[in-house]
Amino acid sequence: MGEPHAGFTPAMQLPVQFARMRAAARADPAPDQSVRSRRLAALEALLNDHRDEIASAISADFGHRSRDETRLLELFPSLEAVRHARRHLGRWMRTQRRPVSLWFQPAGARVMPQPLGVVGIIVPWNYPVFLAMAPLVGALAAGNRVMVKMSEYVPATADLLARLVASRYAVDELAVVTG
């Protein structure tokens, strides 16, 4: 949906990207359930629509890795995490009552889930898709904007995810940083 600044190295783009995301998070500090659900649905579609490309990129990064291993240990658990979050999103967003100590009676307490704003995820090299998606699902379900830093040891996977994410998300919602 958006292009990074041309001529800038990835390291130079980080502060610009972070500032853009932080401004967007401040403009919409608590996205509603429909926005969060849309972001999760886009992630699910991204993983479903590009399974073979993701498996090929991971195989290229590792010299060779079985497509079955990638599907079994990276894609299926990532998709299940997205589906789980979408099923439980409404319940997770609800305000919850909590009891208070006898010393504070007749007061009451509530837990009101709120997004942090912008979240950074640093992904290790060994299972790059799953180790990016598992925390990403939680961050998106919580209503956060997310910057994902992929390992430099998986350049093909990082480049593919960066392109796929840029095609489905606004630049102030989700970004994948490579290099």
Side-chain angles (χ1 to χ4, degrees), residues 38-165:
R38 177 192 53 79
R39 290 175 182 166
L40 290 169
L43 187 61
E44 183 176 10
L46 180 148
L47 293 171
N48 271 324
D49 295 347
H50 300 282
R51 290 176 191 223
D52 293 332
E53 292 171 69
I54 292 169
S56 295
I58 289 173
S59 185
D61 285 333
F62 283 86
H64 173 71
R65 189 204 259 177
S66 166
R67 289 179 180 278
D68 294 330
E69 180 180 357
T70 298
R71 285 188 184 110
L72 183 64
L73 298 176
E74 297 217 50
L75 293 172
F76 292 155
S78 298
L79 286 166
E80 184 53 35
V82 174
R83 291 180 192 123
H84 179 80
R86 290 182 71 195
R87 270 192 313 270
H88 297 283
L89 186 58
R91 187 174 50 113
W92 291 345
M93 292 177 66
R94 272 190 234 135
T95 299
Q96 303 166 15
R97 300 178 128 239
R98 293 285 199 250
V100 295
S101 169
L102 180 61
W103 298 103
F104 298 106
Q105 294 292 332
R110 296 180 293 169
V111 174
M112 299 170 45
Q114 297 176 347
L116 293 172
V118 181
V119 174
I121 298 171
I122 299 174
V123 182
W125 62 271
N126 52 347
Y127 287 96
V129 173
F130 177 68
L131 294 174
M133 296 302 140
L136 176 59
V137 167
L140 291 176
N144 295 299
R145 309 288 169 151
V146 185
M147 294 181 77
V148 178
K149 167 57 177 89
M150 298 296 292
S151 172
E152 63 274 11
Y153 295 115
V154 289
T157 305
D159 289 340
L160 175 64
L161 287 179
R163 282 195 323 271
L164 295 176
V165 162

Side-chain angles (χ1 to χ4, degrees), residues 16-50:
V16 173
Q17 182 65 33
F18 180 73
R20 180 184 296 137
M21 286 184 158
R22 188 165 51 180
R26 286 183 176 159
D28 184 16
D32 63 17
Q33 185 174 349
S34 65
V35 171
R36 297 177 194 199
S37 185
R38 177 192 53 79
R39 290 175 182 166
L40 290 169
L43 187 61
E44 183 176 10
L46 180 148
L47 293 171
N48 271 324
D49 295 347
H50 300 282

